[in-house]
Amino acid sequence: MRARPFVRREGTGFSVRFVGAQRDLLGEVLPWLTHRREGEPALTVRAGCGKERLEQLSATLQGAETVVLSAEDLHILHSVLLSAYSMFASDEAFHVQLGFFRENALALAQGLALAVEDAASQD
């Protein structure tokens, strides 16, 4: 899986294109975290926002080739990926539940941060 999404500066936000397995991974992780039986406070600690915002973000990403996201939205995606990574005791459990390996979530989180940093520095 390619670790870095395509990111460029777009006004006050960032135009982001997740490709292939990146989009699929986010499509699995966002709903999985959103629909856990934790309350809003625990979800907010893990993701940086509540269920409604996660659902909106998931809907925004679904089917869109390229989306414009705020730095806050990107932080939420980063948090979701790292939270999901940390919530499983093994790669096998992560793979069984989400269909990806934990290292994919970690690599995408890191790649996202680096891609945003590069895009922001090109101003």
Side-chain angles (χ1 to χ4, degrees):
M1 180 177 94
R2 177 184 165 85
R4 290 180 87 159
F6 297 96
V7 179
R8 66 179 170 78
R9 195 76 155 138
E10 178 97 16
T12 59
F14 296 88
S15 175
V16 183
R17 183 165 57 100
F18 294 105
V19 294
Q22 296 170 342
R23 182 178 295 123
D24 296 341
L25 175 57
L26 288 169
E28 292 295 325
V29 170
L30 281 164
W32 177 83
L33 188 60
T34 301
H35 299 292
R36 289 179 49 85
R37 292 190 174 169
E38 297 177 325
E40 286 288 312
L43 184 57
T44 300
V45 168
R46 288 189 192 280
C49 66
K51 181 178 179 176
E52 185 177 323
R53 179 81 183 273
L54 283 178
E55 288 173 339
Q56 290 170 349
L57 194 51
S58 183
T60 298
L61 293 175
Q62 271 185 335
E65 173 97 9
T66 302
V67 294
V68 176
L69 300 170
S70 67
E72 184 179 340
D73 292 333
L74 294 168
H75 171 70
I76 291 168
L77 293 179
H78 188 264
S79 296
V80 165
L81 289 164
L82 293 180
S83 289
Y85 175 87
S86 70
M87 293 171 76
F88 288 89
S90 70
D91 287 327
E92 182 181 357
F94 190 97
H95 190 268
V96 167
Q97 282 286 311
L98 299 173
F100 290 88
F101 295 102
R102 287 182 353 164
E103 67 189 38
N104 298 134
L106 193 59
L108 183 53
Q110 179 68 7
L112 178 59
L114 292 173
V116 169
E117 180 180 357
D118 289 348
S121 69
Q122 293 177 7
D123 284 347

